[in-house]
Each structure stands twice: as C-alpha cells, then as structure tokens.
Amino acid sequence: MPPHGRRRLSSLTITLSLFFLFASTASAVSAVLGIDLGTEYIKTALVKPGIPLEIVLTKDSKRKETAAVAFKPSKASRQDPDVLPERVYGGDALALSARFPGDVYPNLKPLLAQHFQSSDLVSVYKRRHPELQPFPSKERGTVGFKSSSFQQGDDLFLVEELLAMELKNIRANALAMAGKASTIRDVVITIPPFYTAEEKRAVVMAAELAGLRILSLISDGLAVGLNYATSRTFPTINEGGQPEVHLVYDMGAGSASATILRFQGRTVKDIGKFNKTVQEVQVLGTGWDMSLGGDVLNQVIVDDMLEKFADSPGLKKLGAQMEQIRQHGRTMAKLWKESERLRQVLSANIETQASFEGLYHDDVNFRYKVTRAEFERLASKYTDKVKTPITMALESAKLSLSDLESVILHGGAVRTPFIQQELETVVGSSDKIRTNVNSDEAAVFGAAFKAASISPSFRVKEIRTGDTPGFASGAWWTADGKEKQQKLFTPTSVVGAEKQVAFKVLEDFTFTLYQQVFSQSGQKIEVPVTEVQTKNMTASVKKLEDTFGCAGADISTRFAIRLGPTDGLPEVVSGTVSCEATEKKGGVVDGMKDLFGFGSKKGEQKPLAEDAEGAESSSLTVEAETASSSPKESQTAEPVSAEQTPDEKQKEATKKTQTIYIDFTSEPAGLPQLSTDTLQRIKDRLSAFDDSDRSRVRREETLNTLEAFAYKARDLLEDENFISASTASQRAEIEDKFKAASDWLYGEGAEATRQTLKERLDVLRGLVNPVQKRKDEAVKRPEAIKSLQDALDQVKVMVDVVKQAQESYSIQLEMASSTSSSLADSASSASDPSTISASPETTSTSSAIVDDFADLDDDPLTSTSSSPDSAATPSTPLPPQPPPYTEADLTSLISTRDEVQSWLDAKLAAQAKLSPSDDPAIQASDLTAKSTELNQQVMKILQKQMKANRPPPPPPKKPGKGTKGGKKAAKKGTKNSVNIEDLLKDLSPQERKEIERAMKDAEGKTNGEDSGGEGGAKLKEKLMKKMEHGEL
C-alpha cells in the first residue's frame, strides 16, 4: 500500500471527480438574483444568460413587491384543520387588511431576531397592527404569530418562516420570467449596516427555508455604490490619481443610514506580462438611525388622523375612546394604508385629503385634510435626526464634510421635501446633493451585479468591493483561571480580512468570538457570536514534547480568524500548535533520498567515473552506506562523529518548525438555534402550503373551465348548426343541466372541491361533446370528401402514366432487337478479308495524327474507342432504357385505388341514410387518412421518376496540356487522345486536305522547315470550335 499522502488516485475516483466537476459546472450555468430586502418593499433583479440585470416583475407587472403576506381564510380551512388557508402576497395581501386585519403580516423586517420581551420594535409593531397576535417562541424567545385562519394547535409562525414565504414568492416570479428550464438558487441580499450577527443569521435562515443559497450579504450603501461604479471609471491611484469619496444617504421605510465610500482605480497584474486596471469600491465608515424612516413619518399622519377622528361628531355619538380606536384592527389598517398615500402625495403637492366610509362603525364617515406645512410641523421632531447617520459615518471614517465630493440619495422616504432641505443644510450646499442613481432600484441592481461577479457562470466588469462588519469584534477565553480578552477587528475592517491570533494556552479550551454592538439605550455591549471548542490540542502539545523534544515555553498556539466573506461575522479558519525542533538526519528516508540523488549536494554526491569500474565501485559504496543505517538508529540522537565534515555537522544542527493542526468545532452563540425537529416542522409546513397552493390553482382552473363551459352552452343552444346536429330532447336536457350547474356554482359550488367540480364538468361535457362533434363533422366532411376524390383522380392519372411507360418500353425493345439483327448481318459481310486493304502511307498518316493530338482532352460525348477495328465496325445501338416503374408498382396503385374507392362508396351510401342528428358513418379524420395513403403512393412513384431522370454525375476532369498527367497521356497515345479518324469522317474534302497538310507540317517533313507548331495549333483550334458548336 502506498504511504499516506502519496496514494495514487484510481481511475474510478478520477472519473467520478470529473463527473461531479462537470455536473457542478453545468448546474452553475443558472440564473442568479439580487434582492433588495426592504421594510416596505422587496425588489428583485435577475441575471441570466440573455437577460442581463433585469427587474423581476410581480404578477401585477409591478417593479417592486409589497413586503406582506396574508392568509385568506375560507370555510374549509376553519372547519378542517388539514385544509390550509390561501396565501396572498404583496398588494393583494394589503388589500385584505381591511377585511382580515388579523391575517395580514406587513413590514416584518424590523422584527427579525428581536427578543419579544425586551425589544422596543416589537411594541411599536403591535401598536401599529393591533389585530395581529404576536407571541414569544418557546425555543428562542423571538417573535412568532398565531393566525385565526390556521387551526394547527399552538404552533407559531416565526418571522423567519413568514419571510421565507415572501422570498419563495419572489423566486417563483423570477422563475416565471427566466423560463421553466431555468434554475434559481444563488442570491445576494442587501441588509442595513446596523444588522448584528443574529439578524444576519435570521436572513440566511429565511433564505434557506425558501430554497435559496446566500452568495453574500451586502450592505445597502455598498450595493448603491457598486451600481454607481458599474458605469463609471475612477482615477487610478498607481498613476498618481486621487480617489473619489462619496456618501450614500439611504432612507427607507424602517431606518436611515449613511455609508461613506471610496472609489478608485488600480493597476494590477494580469495574465502573463500584462497589466489591467480594476475599479475598487471600499466602505470607509457607516452610520444609522433606526428610529427615522418612512414608517415613523406615516405614524405622524396616523396620529393626527386619530385625533381629528376622535373629535368628529359621528364618533362622539358612539362614545368611543381613543384607546378603543387604536385597538380596532380594521380602523387602524385603513388609516395606516391611507397614511402612506397621503405622505407620498405631499411630496409633490402642498395639500391632500382622504375620505373614509364606515370607519370604526358602519354609520361613521370621516374626511381628513392635511397640508404640507402641517405635516412638516407634525414631523419637526424628526428633523434633527436627519444628520445623525451622516455625523456617525464621518466619525467612523475619520473624515469631515469637506472630504466628500457628493451625497448620493437613495430610498423612497428621501424624496420627502423637508428631508432633502435638512440634508442641504447639513452638507452646506445643494450642489453636493446628487440624484444621479435610481433611488428605488440602485441597490437591487448593485446586489444583482455582485451576485453575477461571484457566480462562475458570468463574466462582468471587474469591480472589487470592500464591505465592513459595522461592529468591532474580539475573543474571550479563560487561561490559568483568569478571563482573557483580545480585540480582533474594528468596525471598519474589511470583510474577508484574516488575522493570526496567538493564544498562550497548551491544553484544550473554549473561546468565544463576540461583537460589540449598541443596546437600545445606545450603550456598547459585547454579544457572543461563536463558541469555539478545541478537540486535540492537549494531545498535540504532548506529541510535540515527546516526539520532537519541544519545551512547553517554546510551543506556540495560533488560530487564523477572519471576517467571513458571506456575512462579515468573525469565524475561525484554522488552528495550529507549533515549535522549533532540531531536525534529525540519517534515517531510512534520508538514505533513500541520497540513493536516488535527492539528498544534500555538499560533499555527498560525487561525479561518476568515466570507466565502468569506477561506476560500479561508486554504486556499491552508496548501497553499503544506505544499508548500514537502520530506522532505529535514525531516530536516536547520536554524538557527532569526529570523522564528519563541517557541512555534515551543520546539517545535523538544522532546526525545523514542527506544526500540528488543531481540530475544533464552532457553534453559533447568542440566540438559541432552532432544533432539528422544529426546522423540519417548518419545512414540512412550507411544503404543505406549496402543495395546497398548487391544488388551489388547479381547482380554480377547473372552476373557471366549468363556468366558461356553462356560458358556452347558452351560445350553442342558439347556433343553427348545433340545433341541426341535435334533437329537441337533447337540447332540453342540456339546457336543464346547464341551468342547474349555474345555480349550483353560485351556491354550494363556490366551496366545492376540485374533484366535485371535475365530476360536474364531465357530466356536462358528456352531453355537449357528442352534439358538438356531429356539428364539426358536418362542417368538415364535404371538404374532406373533395380532397379524397382529388387524390383518387391523381392515382388514376398516375396509373395511366405507368401503363404508357411500360407500353413504350415494349415497342422500343422490339425495334432495338430488329436493328441489332440487321447490323449483325452487315458486320459479317464487312469482315471479309478480301475487302480490307491498308497502305503504309495511310498507316503512317494515322500514326502521325494520333501523336500530334495526343495531348488534347477527350470530349466524353464525342470520343470513341481507339481500337484498330473501331473505324471498320458499324456501331451497335444501345438497348432502350427500361421505365423506373415495376409491375408491382402498377398493381399496388390499382389495388389501393380500388380499395379506397370501394370504402368511400360504402361510407357515402351509409351516411346518406342518416339524419344530421345521428352520429356520422364517416368521419373527416378517416377521409383525411385515406387521402394521405393515396398521396403517399403517388409520391412513391414520382420519386422513382425523379431519380431516373436525374442527370449522371460529370466525369472526372482528365489531365490537360502542360501538366504531368498530360505528358503521360501523350506518351500512351491511346486512352486520352482524340480519335482523328472519326473527326475526318465528318469533314468536307477541302477541310480534310488542310488537316493532312497541317499534319505533315507538324512533323517537319515539308521543305525541312519547322512550321508544324503554327499549323498544328490552328488545326486544334478549328477542331475544338467545331466540337464546341456540335458540328463534329
């Protein structure tokens, strides 16, 4: 068996590795998503091959989805605990808030990972949505909800589970846009810069429950900056350029944040000897205010509406108190929904109003009017909060306002006029306020670009980003009975940075990684993030001491700790214990190295002698030295021999760092993790909801089909063709059944199951479809009969063609036989030796002609055999070409025609005896099939005809004059030469004399002059012209 660490991979292992490599590569060619997870809205961008950075539309074709999910109760779900209520998302969910305020869950993001008892955000949410029923979860103490439309014991819907439903809906919309063949799993989600480890893990949990895999979490400000950088190029710092510093001010529904970004170009090494310039976006500092956002501005309007509504005469008659109104779910849902619209209108208008009917009570109506000045007066207490994120970000980055080139605005609430005015006051000039990015979609585009840059399926512009954790982090542990603490990263450290941290501990221990976050009172507190427990540290230290002789004081314990590239949380990458120990030489391994020439090169290896004897002696010496050292001796510290050279002494004294890796386990700290059973229960419930939604969709499709069929029957009963294809009793039955079905649909059928609806639909179809089929057949039959008759006529014509071809062939065959007999008699008389005479002069002339024209190319149509008897033997006529059709083809045509004609006559006779209301004896589909059969027979014959008439392929081109092949052909003088005897036979006497004179000149025999070249050329030219014009 090969030693450990040197095992060769088997072919099966390599094959499986390649298979999984290619499988993972194939699966990587999938779409990726960027999600801007906002408090009020969720925006999604899709990146797919062929779809670069495209906003995913909702089912209503909107570019953003309202962050809300609702359970629409039904009678079945209330009565049967196994029946799940319908889930509704986005704007459709908010539309149900006035009817079912206790089953609509909007703006859940602030509740992620919040402790139910201690978080102020939970109490604020309960005050805004009084009809909802939040409860603390048993395992974690975080927020969960109970639903009156869901009867499943005391199980709560965790905020993470509800958010997972919304993300699943987003993923379904993206799949509908990308196509059914696409798969979507990888995603980058934006988060606020103030998210702690618990909130980040809650987002990751919700995404995983939705079937998504987080590639990275990216802060809102960095996402906006990344989108800003995609279309710009910044100064290159390697070339003396100064980086640009911008501040992104993001104010959404739940919070306001400021992110200071540094934009710059950098020249880095590319492949080979080339360089490239990349763009860099680095977060320098962040700040935030969690009490400032669109929701608190909406709350200002709601409070004003409540005060004015409480003073209205209609409500005073009822004697309702302010607290009673605040606890009324439907009233608060209506007011909260309208406050959002009023605030948005006031951003563009100086006043607006709203009207409510049946508010709090069916008989109470309320009209509300507000101006922009009144709204700004009501919200004046939030004016000073606008600068808080900017001040905090500048302090974190250690910069001043003068260092900023611009303030980039992002978020819906930032459009509020007094917010922009306050920002101009804080910055000191309106020139620095920029709106050069899409304030609604810049973050989602940046997140999608980040996802595409991480995914191996896409190649995008190289922009290197550097996010920050937002909070400082460190480590706690106990050593020698004392609490130890060490700071690791600052709030502005770059995510992905790694540090080697030394611990003065030599036995197994536990240490905690923590974050320094802000409490609700604004105080810094240290919150545990990860618990790390070592496993083999004590044994590893003992091994260093026993095996390598390390002293305890010389042993070093180190852990590599980094800010995780996915979530920016501190995590342990690896751990080691090590020491410097004297390396002992001379063992078996070192001997083998020396034997094969891998040992020390100083004085140990001698060049081989030129003679064979020297080589043999040198080899023997090495073998003897290797055999003399045993493994036992190599591990024992022996005194250095006096015969050793100084180099060997230095070799024995070399020290080497001995390192052993530490095994450890990491567990999330802070909020307790959900148990395996709870996670499985949540996954099962989400799957059950998915199945229920699919079944509901199929039921609605069946219901719609049944309703459409019922309306269709009314039109059919008035159609003349339908009336002629049915009897009066059939129409009466159809009318009664459809009337009963219509009444049932608007009664009990509204809550019927899909199976019941399908049974009703099948009954109605059983009545209508036979009549409809007769009606359709009556319309299609005449055209189908005409087509079949045409096909029969074509077969008849083809039969005549085949017969004529066969008769013509027979006549030609007889004529050819008669001609062959006559030619045979003539040939026998011409072959008498007494009639044949040849003179030497004629023979020499023919030889000269052949030699002179040997290099002419033969015309395949005019050349003949060059055999000596060809001129004297009369040509035999070729036999006639047989037709391409056989007797079997003719028989098949006639048989098929007769069968189809007989079948058609019988069917037409049977159909003539039937009434229009009877089922047809002949169907259009059968007629079409017969027509196809006849057409195929005709096409088979025509294809044979076309194949027979196809011209033969041209013969291969023969070698011409001046080529190597031409010279060879000229030497042979038979196969590739023109038969001059045949050519002379077709010429006039004068032309024949000119040719003979030219031949003699070509041979150079006339007056001893060499004039044959010109005469031969003219002769060839004249002959070629006659051949081209068809005269020869």
Side-chain angles (χ1 to χ4, degrees):
M1 180 177 179
H4 181 70
R6 294 178 178 266
R7 298 179 184 176
R8 299 183 60 184
L9 296 177
S10 65
S11 59
L12 177 60
T13 304
I14 296 174
T15 303
L16 290 176
S17 301
L18 292 174
F19 171 78
F20 287 117
L21 173 63
F22 292 131
S24 63
T25 304
S27 63
V29 185
S30 304
V32 295
L33 291 180
I35 297 179
D36 182 12
L37 185 61
T39 301
E40 186 177 7
Y41 294 101
I42 301 177
K43 294 173 280 290
T44 310
L46 172 71
V47 182
K48 178 194 172 186
I51 305 179
L53 291 177
E54 186 70 22
I55 289 292
V56 176
L57 302 180
T58 67
K59 295 178 180 179
D60 301 330
S61 298
K62 296 180 180 178
R63 297 179 68 85
K64 56 184 178 182
E65 184 76 279
T66 303
V69 59
F71 297 136
K72 187 177 180 180
S74 63
K75 292 182 180 179
S77 63
R78 290 193 180 101
Q79 296 172 0
D80 188 354
D82 295 330
V83 177
L84 300 177
E86 179 184 359
R87 291 182 298 181
V88 185
Y89 300 97
D92 295 337
L94 285 185
L96 297 174
S97 59
R99 295 174 55 198
F100 310 107
D103 287 307
V104 180
Y105 305 92
N107 299 16
L108 294 171
K109 180 182 173 182
L111 299 181
L112 285 172
Q114 296 297 315
H115 294 267
F116 182 83
Q117 301 295 344
S118 59
S119 176
D120 293 340
L121 296 174
V122 177
S123 59
V124 171
Y125 191 88
K126 290 171 62 177
R127 186 168 65 252
R128 292 174 181 172
H129 309 283
E131 197 75 13
L132 294 178
Q133 305 176 43
F135 292 92
S137 63
K138 295 180 180 179
E139 294 185 12
R140 311 177 71 195
T142 55
V143 182
F145 292 93
K146 284 186 178 181
S147 173
S148 58
S149 62
F150 187 81
Q151 303 297 331
Q152 285 286 351
D154 296 331
D155 291 339
L156 299 177
F157 285 94
L158 298 180
V159 175
E160 291 84 356
E161 183 178 359
L162 295 174
L163 182 58
M165 294 181 184
E166 297 180 24
L167 292 178
K168 271 196 170 186
N169 176 60
I170 291 293
R171 181 169 179 249
N173 294 340
L175 283 172
M177 179 177 176
K180 295 182 179 179
S182 302
T183 57
I184 298 177
R185 189 183 177 194
D186 296 336
V187 63
V188 170
I189 299 181
T190 65
I191 57 172
F194 53 79
Y195 259 21
T196 63
E198 296 172 351
E199 292 162 317
K200 291 180 179 178
R201 287 170 178 165
V203 173
V204 173
M205 180 192 297
E208 291 177 349
L209 290 174
L212 297 172
R213 178 177 59 188
I214 299 289
L215 294 178
S216 176
L217 297 177
I218 183 172
S219 63
D220 294 325
L222 179 58
V224 175
L226 184 56
N227 175 250
Y228 180 81
T230 54
S231 58
R232 292 169 174 82
T233 301
F234 304 101
T236 304
I237 59 174
N238 307 67
E239 301 173 357
Q242 294 298 318
E244 298 180 10
V245 180
H246 301 266
L247 184 143
V248 176
Y249 193 88
D250 184 14
M251 185 174 176
S255 62
S257 65
T259 305
I260 298 178
L261 302 172
R262 180 178 63 205
F263 299 88
Q264 63 188 21
R266 183 187 298 273
T267 302
V268 297
K269 184 174 177 57
D270 199 2
I271 300 174
K273 299 181 179 180
F274 300 97
N275 294 331
K276 62 180 179 180
T277 301
V278 300
Q279 306 302 310
E280 295 180 343
V281 184
Q282 174 65 46
V283 177
L284 300 181
T286 57
W288 58 83
D289 191 327
M290 300 171 60
S291 62
L292 179 63
D295 282 351
V296 297
L297 300 181
N298 295 342
Q299 186 66 54
V300 167
I301 298 177
V302 170
D303 292 341
D304 188 55
M305 285 192 293
L306 284 173
E307 291 181 3
K308 293 181 179 179
F309 180 55
D311 294 336
S312 64
L315 195 63
K316 286 183 177 180
K317 292 180 181 179
L318 297 176
Q321 302 297 322
M322 178 66 73
E323 191 60 30
Q324 293 175 327
I325 301 174
R326 288 186 179 276
Q327 295 300 322
H328 194 264
R330 294 186 179 182
T331 300
M332 293 301 297
K334 290 180 180 180
L335 295 177
W336 186 260
K337 182 179 178 181
E338 193 65 18
S339 66
E340 172 74 13
R341 186 190 68 83
L342 292 174
R343 180 177 61 82
Q344 292 177 356
V345 172
L346 288 176
S347 297
N349 299 275
I350 60 174
E351 65 177 8
T352 186
Q353 61 182 3
S355 298
F356 302 90
E357 295 182 358
L359 187 64
Y360 187 76
H361 193 273
D362 294 341
D363 298 332
V364 178
N365 299 329
F366 175 61
R367 183 182 297 273
Y368 176 74
K369 183 178 181 181
V370 63
T371 64
R372 182 189 293 179
E374 292 177 350
F375 169 64
E376 293 178 354
R377 177 181 56 82
L378 295 172
S380 58
K381 61 181 178 180
Y382 297 105
T383 303
D384 292 339
K385 290 179 173 290
V386 173
K387 64 181 179 181
T388 302
I390 299 177
T391 304
M392 183 177 177
L394 290 173
E395 292 177 355
S396 176
K398 297 180 174 56
L399 297 174
S400 62
L401 284 171
S402 60
D403 297 322
L404 303 179
E405 295 195 18
S406 71
V407 175
I408 303 172
L409 302 183
H410 185 265
V414 81
R415 299 190 187 97
T416 308
F418 84 89
I419 298 293
Q420 292 191 1
Q421 293 173 5
E422 184 64 21
L423 284 174
E424 292 177 1
T425 303
V426 173
V427 176
S429 172
S430 61
D431 295 338
K432 282 191 175 183
I433 304 297
R434 303 285 176 82
T435 57
N436 46 9
V437 299
N438 187 328
S439 60
D440 280 333
E441 299 175 353
V444 69
F445 280 133
F449 187 90
K450 178 72 172 179
S453 64
I454 297 175
S455 173
S457 302
F458 304 95
R459 184 177 181 181
V460 297
K461 177 182 178 181
E462 187 170 357
I463 303 178
R464 300 180 179 181
T465 59
D467 211 341
T468 59
F471 301 100
S473 57
W476 300 320
W477 73 97
T478 302
D480 299 331
K482 297 180 180 179
E483 295 292 334
K484 304 288 185 178
Q485 182 175 358
Q486 182 173 348
K487 293 182 179 180
L488 300 176
F489 301 100
T490 66
T492 57
S493 297
V494 179
V495 169
E498 183 176 317
K499 284 187 176 182
Q500 294 290 334
V501 183
F503 291 81
K504 293 185 178 180
V505 182
L506 299 180
E507 58 186 8
D508 287 315
F509 75 114
T510 301
F511 64 94
T512 302
L513 301 178
Y514 66 86
Q515 266 190 340
Q516 194 176 63
V517 301
F518 293 97
S519 65
Q520 295 185 8
S521 61
Q523 301 296 323
K524 289 184 178 180
I525 58 174
E526 295 171 351
V527 178
V529 174
T530 304
E531 295 284 345
V532 182
Q533 172 67 54
T534 62
K535 294 295 184 182
N536 64 334
M537 188 170 170
T538 302
S540 299
V541 171
K542 182 174 178 56
K543 183 177 180 180
L544 289 176
E545 293 175 345
D546 297 344
T547 305
F548 301 101
C550 298
D554 298 332
I555 297 176
S556 173
T557 303
R558 291 182 177 274
F559 285 89
I561 303 176
R562 69 174 179 180
L563 292 173
T566 301
D567 51 17
L569 300 179
E571 61 182 12
V572 178
V573 179
S574 63
T576 60
V577 288
S578 61
C579 71
E580 286 190 355
T582 302
E583 186 179 14
K584 301 176 182 179
K585 300 290 182 177
V588 175
V589 176
D590 295 326
M592 293 299 295
K593 288 183 178 180
D594 293 338
L595 174 62
F596 291 104
F598 296 111
S600 174
K601 297 182 180 180
K602 295 183 178 180
E604 294 184 4
Q605 291 181 330
K606 303 294 177 90
L608 295 176
E610 295 181 1
D611 57 300
E613 183 180 356
E616 292 178 0
S617 62
S618 176
S619 176
L620 291 174
T621 304
V622 173
E623 291 176 2
E625 291 176 356
T626 305
S628 64
S629 63
S630 65
K632 191 172 183 179
E633 293 172 351
S634 64
Q635 297 178 4
T636 306
E638 297 289 346
V640 179
S641 174
E643 298 178 358
Q644 290 178 329
T645 64
D647 291 338
E648 291 174 340
K649 293 181 181 180
Q650 183 177 0
K651 174 181 175 182
E652 292 293 338
T654 300
K655 288 189 176 182
K656 181 180 179 180
T657 301
Q658 303 293 337
T659 302
I660 300 177
Y661 283 92
I662 300 173
D663 293 335
F664 62 89
T665 58
S666 297
E667 295 291 338
L671 280 177
Q673 298 300 299
L674 293 178
S675 63
T676 304
D677 294 340
T678 302
L679 277 175
Q680 189 60 45
R681 176 182 59 80
I682 293 176
K683 292 179 181 179
D684 293 342
R685 183 159 60 181
L686 289 174
S687 298
F689 263 112
D690 294 339
D691 295 338
S692 177
D693 289 344
R694 284 190 290 267
S695 299
R696 186 173 292 104
V697 169
R698 290 195 294 267
R699 177 194 173 277
E700 291 177 354
E701 291 175 352
T702 306
L703 177 61
N704 294 336
T705 303
L706 180 57
E707 290 179 345
F709 205 73
Y711 285 111
K712 180 182 178 182
R714 300 176 184 177
D715 299 334
L716 290 176
L717 292 175
E718 298 176 358
D719 184 77
E720 294 181 359
N721 294 330
F722 189 86
I723 293 173
S724 63
S726 60
T727 63
S729 60
Q730 290 174 339
R731 291 193 297 274
E733 183 181 6
I734 291 174
E735 186 176 4
D736 293 340
K737 291 289 186 182
F738 273 89
K739 183 178 180 181
S742 298
D743 297 339
W744 178 79
L745 280 174
Y746 294 104
E748 300 177 0
E751 299 293 335
T753 62
R754 179 175 178 268
Q755 183 62 30
T756 304
L757 294 172
K758 191 173 182 299
E759 292 173 357
R760 291 266 183 170
L761 181 61
D762 292 340
V763 171
L764 297 179
R765 281 176 173 171
L767 296 174
V768 173
N769 287 350
V771 181
Q772 184 67 31
K773 185 176 181 180
R774 292 195 293 269
K775 170 193 168 185
D776 296 338
E777 287 292 334
V779 174
K780 298 177 182 178
R781 192 183 306 117
E783 184 65 27
I785 293 174
K786 183 179 181 301
S787 299
L788 183 56
Q789 292 288 3
D790 294 341
L792 286 169
D793 294 340
Q794 291 177 1
V795 173
K796 183 179 179 181
V797 172
M798 185 56 63
V799 168
D800 295 339
V801 170
V802 173
K803 287 182 177 180
Q804 291 176 4
Q806 290 180 343
E807 292 175 358
S808 176
Y809 174 67
S810 299
I811 294 173
Q812 293 177 7
L813 196 61
E814 292 178 359
M815 294 177 62
S817 177
S818 176
T819 304
S820 298
S821 299
S822 301
L823 291 175
D825 295 340
S826 301
S828 61
S829 62
S831 60
D832 189 354
S834 62
T835 61
I836 303 175
S837 62
S839 64
E841 182 179 357
T842 305
T843 304
S844 62
T845 303
S846 300
S847 176
I849 293 174
V850 171
D851 292 340
D852 191 72
F853 294 96
D855 56 352
L856 286 178
D857 290 339
D858 291 343
D859 190 333
L861 300 179
T862 60
S863 63
T864 61
S865 174
S866 60
S867 63
D869 299 334
S870 61
T873 304
S875 59
T876 303
L878 296 175
Q881 185 71 21
Y885 324 113
T886 63
E887 188 66 28
D889 295 334
L890 180 61
T891 303
S892 177
L893 272 177
I894 296 174
S895 174
T896 304
R897 180 198 63 184
D898 295 343
E899 290 178 3
V900 172
Q901 186 66 57
S902 301
W903 176 85
L904 179 60
D905 295 340
K907 290 295 183 179
L908 290 177
Q911 183 65 36
K913 299 177 181 179
L914 300 176
S915 66
S917 61
D918 294 330
D919 291 335
I922 182 172
Q923 297 183 3
S925 59
D926 297 335
L927 293 168
T928 303
K930 294 296 182 181
S931 299
T932 303
E933 181 182 357
L934 293 175
N935 291 333
Q936 288 177 349
Q937 287 286 343
V938 173
M939 286 302 300
K940 181 179 178 181
I941 300 300
L942 291 177
Q943 287 176 354
K944 286 188 175 183
Q945 176 80 29
M946 295 170 62
K947 186 176 181 180
N949 294 338
R950 187 179 303 165
K957 189 175 181 181
K958 297 181 180 180
K961 182 179 179 181
T963 63
K964 186 176 181 180
K967 293 179 180 179
K968 290 183 178 179
K971 290 180 181 180
K972 292 181 180 179
T974 55
K975 270 191 175 181
N976 298 331
S977 61
V978 178
N979 194 333
I980 303 300
E981 298 288 343
D982 292 340
L983 296 178
L984 293 175
K985 184 171 59 178
D986 296 330
L987 299 179
S988 64
Q990 182 66 25
E991 290 174 335
R992 194 179 296 114
K993 290 181 181 180
E994 293 178 0
I995 291 174
E996 291 176 354
R997 187 183 303 110
M999 294 299 178
K1000 293 179 181 180
D1001 294 341
E1003 292 178 351
K1005 296 179 179 181
T1006 304
N1007 299 325
E1009 295 177 359
D1010 188 9
S1011 59
E1014 182 179 357
K1018 290 181 178 179
L1019 174 64
K1020 292 178 184 178
E1021 181 179 0
K1022 187 172 184 178
L1023 291 176
M1024 292 301 296
K1025 286 183 178 180
K1026 286 182 174 291
M1027 293 174 64
E1028 290 175 0
H1029 296 317
E1031 299 176 8
L1032 298 181

